[in-house]
Amino acid sequence: MSTLFLRGGLVGGRTQDIAIRDERIHTIGSGLDASGDEILDVRDKLVLPGFVETHIHPDKAFIADRTEGLRAGGPTAQTLVAELKKQFTVDDVYQRARRVMELAVRHGCTTMRAHVEIDAFVEMRGVEALRRLQKDLAGKLDLELIAFAQEGIFNDTVTKDLLRAAVRMGLAWLGGCPYMDKDQRGHIDWFFETAQELGVPLDFHADSSDDPALLTCDYIAEQTIERGMQGRVTLGHLCMLDVLEPAHRAQIVAKLREARIHVISLPATEMHVKGRTDTRRTWRGVARLGELRDAGLNVVISTNNIVNPFTPYGHPDLLRQMLVCAMAMHLGNLDQLAWLPELVTTNAARAIGVEDYGLAEGCRADLVVLDARDAAQAITEQSEKLYVIKNGRVVARNRRITELSAP
Ligand SMILES: [Zn+2]
């Protein structure tokens, strides 16, 4: 029986021991008996559930050095990456994606839902590489895959069939990108029909621009309700909400809530890509998660892109995303800093249906121990993740060493 004992960690603001048995949290309490266990001394250290990435692109990570990147009047990130991915091989994708995942684990991620691009340019090479990683990283990282149509579905003759084939091979989600097709509603309809036929939940990259005429999340919410898929649809981006008149936005938000849609914001990418043509006031382009949370939506943040033209400084560290989020979304008050970890832990787990998740007895022992006393300190100082624990086993130990010279 594998056993692990965390002594004196800070759980929900109280000093607690955590006893782990058989990959689960067995007991949480003070002054527990640790005999026979491997003991980690985590006194006065913040303990959180393992971080959950819900929206990330490991297949197109670490390619910034293969292209010039964004410049005024130049090609979009989509165009730059579409060209590059024609040359991707299975091994190339595998090596770059593996680097993303090992970094993510090192930074406290215990579950990841990743997009895998499927289209005429890259065909199934990304699927093959990522499925191999699912097996190779078992026990260190739970990896779920989204069959994702980054190039739309009406621009070539193969993507739709390849997406279906990928789901039949075991990819657990279907992922649409309506703004890549002229007929956005036709795109959305195809995804709902296919998701229902194949029995999988849906993710959309949605409403990433600042033109309200192109809004789709209202239609997605309507379809979600009409087809009885409430709670099984996640939406990434939703930048466009930020340019709607407040009364209109409130209407849309009410509809999203009724459809129990999970909102995933990607602040690092928005800050890099958005507002480039605005000559007076640079638009942040980041969904207002504080407001959406107050309205009762399940809100999440995620990393999205890693070192590519969409986010050249992207890094799979959700503690970093919390800081970016705090800065980009005006979420720096003490109560806000205290709930920011929800966005990468419990809310993220709920968005993608991770079961038995959290800091409670009986839950899976997926934990991160931070070198901080509370979330505000961890976010502000970007504290080290001292231990990352997956299924009750330590999968990463990190230490920072500083030597200050004497005055
Ligand atoms: Zn994305």
Side-chain angles (χ1 to χ4, degrees), residues 85 170 195 403:
K85 71 179 167 185
E403 294 179 357

Side-chain angles (χ1 to χ4, degrees), residues 147 162-174 198 200:
L162 293 178
L163 290 167
R164 285 174 192 278
V167 171
R168 293 205 174 97
M169 286 165 82
L171 272 66
W173 290 72
L174 259 180
L198 300 176
V200 290

Side-chain angles (χ1 to χ4, degrees), residues 124-282:
M124 300 290 266
R125 300 193 292 282
V127 172
E128 193 181 332
L130 273 283
R131 288 185 79 219
R132 209 186 286 170
L133 275 165
Q134 245 175 344
K135 290 198 194 88
D136 291 355
L137 295 179
K140 295 192 177 74
L141 177 72
D142 289 338
L143 177 61
E144 259 192 34
L145 302 176
I146 305 174
F148 173 49
Q150 171 71 80
E151 308 299 332
I153 51 171
F154 301 130
N155 302 312
D156 64 52
T157 55
V158 298
T159 297
K160 286 188 287 208
D161 288 342
L162 293 178
L163 290 167
R164 285 174 192 278
V167 171
R168 293 205 174 97
M169 286 165 82
L171 272 66
W173 290 72
L174 259 180
C177 197
Y179 53 79
M180 294 302 291
D181 279 316
K182 271 205 190 76
D183 180 4
Q184 295 204 90
R185 288 200 173 194
H187 179 113
I188 292 163
D189 291 342
W190 185 87
F191 273 91
F192 272 102
E193 279 156 23
T194 311
Q196 288 192 300
E197 176 197 325
L198 300 176
V200 290
L202 274 175
D203 174 80
F204 288 103
H205 281 60
D207 298 345
S208 142
S209 83
D210 60 351
D211 179 359
L214 300 175
L215 191 77
T216 57
C217 68
D218 51 346
Y219 183 67
I220 292 172
E222 277 168 27
Q223 289 300 307
T224 301
I225 295 165
E226 204 164 291
R227 294 164 186 268
M229 285 188 67
Q230 292 94 327
R232 284 166 60 78
V233 178
T234 58
L235 297 185
H237 292 296
L238 289 194
C239 317
M240 208 181 287
L241 289 184
D242 206 27
V243 295
L244 302 181
E245 291 302 324
H248 186 195
R249 182 162 68 235
Q251 262 174 22
I252 304 282
V253 167
K255 210 180 259 184
L256 293 173
R257 191 180 54 216
E258 191 189 342
R260 300 208 307 275
I261 280 176
H262 310 277
V263 176
I264 303 172
S265 182
L266 311 160
T269 300
E270 316 303 11
M271 297 295 276
H272 179 67
V273 173
K274 300 289 157 31
R276 287 178 166 258
T277 53
D278 198 321
T279 53
R280 284 189 67 239
R281 297 187 182 192
T282 312

